[in-house]
Amino acid sequence: MSNIFTDTLQGKSTERPPVWFMRQAGRVLPRYMKMREMHSFQQLMSDPELAAEVTLMPVDDLGVDAAILFSDILVIPQALGLKVAFPDSGPVFENPFCKLGTIPGLHFDPTRLQYIYDAIDCINAREKNYTPLIGFCGGPLTTYLFMAQGTSSNHQFNDAISLYYNKHEDVKRILAQVTDACIEYAIKQCEHGIAAFQIFETYGGLLPSQVYLQDVYPHMKRIITAVKSQGVPVIYFPKGLGAGLSHIADSGADFVSIDWQVSLPDARGLLPQPIGLQGNLDPRLLAIDNRETLDAAIDNIISFWEKDRRLIVNLGHGITPQCTFENTKYAVDRIKNIPRKKSGLAKD
Ligand code: CP3
């Protein structure tokens, strides 16, 4: 099966760039908000039928070209035995490492992830008109930072980073253990049928890039190699890495997702072809009522695609609670229609 998203991943030429948005399956959708009145986030992701429904919602309601599994990066800490709750304010760990003052020994129980493979089976069973499904996990550093800090309330993770330097050997052990769990989890997702796999290293930019590259990047490469060995393309999102992007050209990832701090032409200078780029619309543009500013930013991305076809349009990070459904749908429509208008091709 092919579509514009899988064709682009495989390097085939397409008449427009594919588009999907990180966090598309969440709170920007009115139908999701309705479901959240009846179910908690944990219930929605733990019930395979409900998770399948939410996963496919943005394909119908926004018209995006791919679905991303409705789950969370913190299911790996849960499978490592840590207690995580998901109140509306964001995830909270019961006993984060910083509170314990130490890094405990953990035991990985892979059976605790079975509901996610069941959700993938449900999604694939429902999808009669093939929609590519993106599986994912968190990057080892991002996963560690949550396990250590316990929340993302200030997005700084300073205590978790102090612990990183203080208990370096213990942290290295945890990074390796998280990576091993992610590899098993990723391979199982591939076996159940996903079209692509994205690794969210959302807080990769919080460490000095040379520390990240030395301690974490080798683990990242291990995950990428494992997924690629299953024949599944990989998208790597090292948010905030900045000029450090120039050191990840040998990651093995097919595409690198770029945040809004780096322009696409600058990212291309740091990451040569055939590595594809994904991104990098500022999600805050989906929260404003000035359509001209949004149009200009979208057109800028489309102009890049006209010269460099190895591009998947996405945001520089996930949809925020302030984004509106109308703006998000408008952006998807504009991305899907502009190039054909420009190239004079008929619309379908
Ligand atoms: O739509 C999608 O992208 C698919 C599902 C998805 C969720 N979380 C659902 C979710 C994905 C890919 C994630 C990844 C994730 N989770 C990351 C990496 C990407 C990123 O956005 O940085 C991180 C850091 C987490 C941890 C996490 N989970 C946070 C910080 C929060 C709360 C804050 C927020 O942005 O919503 C969650 C809860 C969460 N995960 C929600 C959703 C839809 C909100 C739950 C709700 O209230 O409905």
Side-chain angles (χ1 to χ4, degrees):
M1 294 280 204
S2 79
N3 90 337
I4 205 155
F5 175 76
T6 50
D7 283 351
T8 300
L9 283 172
Q10 288 162 17
K12 294 185 194 153
S13 85
T14 56
E15 59 173 4
R16 63 168 176 83
V19 54
W20 72 279
F21 289 156
M22 292 183 247
R23 292 300 180 95
Q24 64 187 16
R27 48 166 77 95
V28 81
L29 302 177
R31 282 207 288 149
Y32 175 80
M33 303 300 277
K34 270 237 132 31
M35 283 180 88
R36 282 284 277 112
E37 284 169 16
M38 278 167 337
H39 308 278
S40 69
F41 170 67
Q42 181 76 53
Q43 277 171 340
L44 287 181
M45 75 165 173
S46 308
D47 180 313
E49 290 291 345
L50 292 175
E53 192 172 333
V54 180
T55 299
L56 295 170
M57 228 178 236
V59 177
D60 293 334
D61 296 3
L62 294 172
V64 288
D65 296 307
I68 180 160
L69 182 64
F70 188 73
S71 185
D72 200 87
I73 63 166
L74 301 179
V75 298
I76 288 291
Q78 287 179 329
L80 285 164
L82 299 181
K83 290 212 159 51
V84 189
F86 290 93
D88 286 347
S89 52
V92 181
F93 283 67
E94 194 176 277
N95 284 312
F97 303 158
C98 292
K99 184 172 146 199
L100 296 174
T102 176
I103 298 181
L106 299 175
H107 168 73
F108 177 51
D109 178 359
T111 62
R112 299 185 69 169
L113 298 167
Q114 184 56 45
Y115 67 93
I116 296 165
Y117 314 130
D118 294 343
I120 297 176
D121 292 345
C122 274
I123 295 160
N124 288 333
R126 278 177 189 224
E127 251 325 84
K128 291 177 194 69
N129 317 310
Y130 177 72
T131 299
L133 176 64
I134 304 167
F136 70 92
C137 70
L141 178 67
T142 302
T143 309
Y144 157 78
L145 291 174
F146 275 95
M147 292 160 81
Q149 190 81 30
T151 69
S152 62
S153 49
N154 64 7
H155 299 277
Q156 289 300 319
F157 297 93
N158 283 338
D159 298 333
I161 290 171
S162 297
L163 193 71
Y164 184 101
Y165 290 128
N166 258 329
K167 304 254 183 213
H168 199 204
E169 288 309 311
D170 288 337
V171 173
K172 283 204 309 211
R173 168 175 58 80
I174 285 292
L175 291 175
Q177 197 179 9
V178 165
T179 303
D180 292 343
C182 286
I183 288 174
E184 193 171 327
Y185 178 50
I187 288 177
K188 271 260 159 56
Q189 292 185 43
C190 295
E191 286 169 359
H192 282 260
I194 52 172
F197 190 81
Q198 175 151 324
I199 309 170
F200 287 91
E201 192 69 288
T202 306
Y203 294 103
L206 292 188
L207 278 181
S209 64
Q210 68 274 23
V211 178
Y212 179 81
L213 290 165
Q214 187 177 319
D215 288 358
V216 190
Y217 185 54
H219 291 306
M220 185 58 70
K221 280 177 156 174
R222 287 207 288 134
I223 304 175
I224 295 169
T225 305
V227 177
K228 297 283 297 171
S229 76
Q230 302 295 303
V232 172
V234 175
I235 306 169
Y236 173 16
F237 178 41
K239 183 169 183 290
L241 201 56
L245 288 172
S246 66
H247 297 282
I248 62 155
D250 66 349
S251 74
D254 301 85
F255 275 68
V256 174
S257 204
I258 306 297
D259 56 45
W260 61 79
Q261 285 97 331
V262 180
S263 73
L264 291 175
D266 284 350
R268 177 49 86 211
L270 300 170
L271 292 164
Q273 291 265 12
I275 299 167
L277 303 179
Q278 176 175 272
N280 70 346
L281 190 68
D282 185 343
R284 289 157 300 190
L285 291 170
L286 302 179
I288 62 171
D289 49 22
N290 180 343
R291 285 272 160 90
E292 278 167 28
T293 308
L294 176 58
D295 286 353
I298 292 172
D299 294 357
N300 200 19
I301 292 177
I302 298 296
S303 309
F304 178 85
W305 172 81
E306 281 166 349
K307 291 181 252 85
D308 188 328
R309 300 293 172 103
R310 293 284 285 159
L311 179 74
I312 298 169
V313 182
N314 204 314
L315 305 175
H317 190 193
I319 287 174
T320 69
Q322 293 77 27
C323 298
T324 68
F325 173 74
E326 290 70 27
N327 281 346
T328 311
K329 172 118 184 59
Y330 173 85
V332 172
D333 286 343
R334 187 167 181 94
I335 293 153
K336 286 170 76 174
N337 289 318
I338 272 195
R340 280 189 273 185
K341 236 192 301 170
K342 276 196 179 165
S343 62
L345 292 170
K347 287 197 205 171
D348 53 24

